[in-house]
């Protein structure tokens, strides 16, 4: 298995390319702002051909390049229906300050082919198998993508593309439209904590980690697991 990741030019959003092997079809995950040249270089280096784009959620820093990536190749984008409206109108997921930062109204259109994700679904794409876990909190339509890790450089039983649900040492912010700290804590309890300790986590921002490492050190997971104690400060990472 081939997994290549690199940060976008803006907000450090991680874009991932996943394939069964070099020279095969692949899946692109979260193509953010300013990733097109770097993405093309990764695809050329490994002789890969995108079959689909997977979106962990609808925030602009994860979706900005989805329309050109899909349109140039005639491939679908997959997103949870809770966040689909942000593909056509990214401002619906932004605060007033962030909308102003991007210059007010954003000229944007969703890809021609959009497929909606459902909780517990299995996607078979490019010779790979992904399990979809709806994990709201950062946004209403945030999801995790889990896949078998055998054959990857980590040789783990499972890999989790966590978007902005879980980071190394933190979690995604919950103060933007569609965010909810109670929903986030429920997602951490119901979708993150049950995962095996050796599960490799590929987050939407920052370095790779594991569930075991986060279970032992991440203050939000510790708070959820213990269901008591002082709550950590509100998270601020992510768009």
């Amino acid at each position: 298995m081939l997994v290549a990741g690199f940060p976008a030019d803006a907000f450090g959003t991680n874009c991932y390319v996943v394939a069964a092997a070099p020279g095969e079809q692949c899946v692109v995950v979260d193509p953010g702002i300013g990733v097109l040249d770097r993405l093309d270089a990764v695809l050329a280096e490994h002789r890969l051909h995108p079959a689909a784009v997977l979106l962990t959620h609808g925030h602009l820093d994860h979706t900005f390049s989805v329309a050109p990536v899909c349109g140039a190749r005639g491939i679908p984008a997959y997103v949870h229906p809770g966040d689909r409206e942000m593909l056509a109108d990214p401002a619906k997921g932004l605060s007033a300050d962030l909308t102003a930062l991007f210059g007010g109204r954003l000229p944007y259109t969703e890809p021609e082919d959009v497929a909606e994700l459902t909780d517990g679904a299995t996607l078979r794409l490019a010779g790979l198998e992904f399990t979809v876990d709806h994990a709201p909190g950062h946004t209403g339509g945030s999801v995790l993508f889990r896949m078998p890790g055998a054959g990857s450089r980590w040789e783990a039983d499972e890999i989790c593309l966590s978007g902005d649900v879980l980071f190394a040492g933190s979690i995604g912010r919950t103060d933007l439209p569609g965010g909810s700290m109670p929903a986030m804590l429920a997602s951490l309890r119901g979708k993150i904590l049950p995962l095996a300790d050796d599960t490799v986590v590929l987050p939407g921002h920052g370095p790779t980690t594991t569930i075991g490492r986060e279970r032992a050190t991440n203050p939000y997971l510790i708070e959820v697991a213990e269901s008591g104690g002082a709550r950590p400060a509100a998270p601020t990472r992510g768009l």
Side-chain angles (χ1 to χ4, degrees):
M1 181 190 296
L2 169 66
V3 181
F6 59 90
D9 289 346
F11 300 99
T13 306
N14 291 325
C15 176
Y16 296 101
V17 177
V18 187
E24 302 287 346
Q25 288 189 318
C26 69
V27 170
V28 178
V29 182
D30 288 354
I33 299 171
V35 303
L36 294 179
D37 289 345
R38 185 81 181 273
L39 176 59
D40 285 345
V42 169
L43 298 176
E45 177 186 358
H46 300 289
R47 310 181 314 282
L48 298 173
H49 310 281
V53 171
L54 300 183
L55 300 173
T56 60
H57 63 290
H59 279 162
L60 186 64
D61 61 324
H62 292 253
T63 68
F64 188 84
S65 297
V66 63
V69 170
C70 290
R73 299 167 177 87
I75 60 176
Y78 288 78
V79 68
H80 190 274
D83 281 8
R84 179 167 181 172
E85 66 178 0
M86 284 188 264
L87 294 188
D89 185 1
K92 290 187 175 180
L94 303 178
S95 65
D97 289 346
L98 284 170
T99 301
L101 176 66
F102 285 103
R105 180 169 174 78
L106 295 162
Y108 206 75
T109 58
E110 70 174 34
E112 290 186 7
D113 187 357
V114 178
E116 295 188 348
L117 300 166
T118 58
D119 186 36
T122 299
L123 303 178
R124 294 178 175 85
L125 301 165
L128 303 164
E129 186 172 288
F130 299 88
T131 299
V132 179
D133 293 319
H134 184 211
H138 180 62
T139 66
S142 290
V143 300
L144 313 171
F145 295 108
R146 292 184 291 114
M147 59 183 178
S152 70
R153 64 179 181 270
W154 301 283
E155 287 298 338
D157 286 341
E158 192 166 58
I159 294 170
C160 177
L161 293 146
S162 65
D164 287 6
V165 176
L166 180 68
F167 304 133
S170 190
I171 59 174
R173 62 191 294 179
T174 60
D175 61 328
L176 295 176
S180 165
M181 180 56 82
M184 175 66 87
L185 295 177
S187 292
L188 297 177
R189 183 178 297 108
K191 298 299 175 73
I192 293 293
L193 284 177
L195 301 178
D197 281 351
D198 68 348
T199 300
V200 172
V201 178
L202 305 182
H205 301 266
T208 300
T209 186
T210 65
I211 291 295
R213 184 178 303 139
E214 298 312 302
R215 194 190 310 277
T217 63
N218 189 309
Y220 297 93
L221 289 189
I222 292 171
E223 196 269 338
V224 169
E226 294 178 350
S227 297
R231 176 167 295 183
T236 59
R237 198 164 192 177
L239 185 63

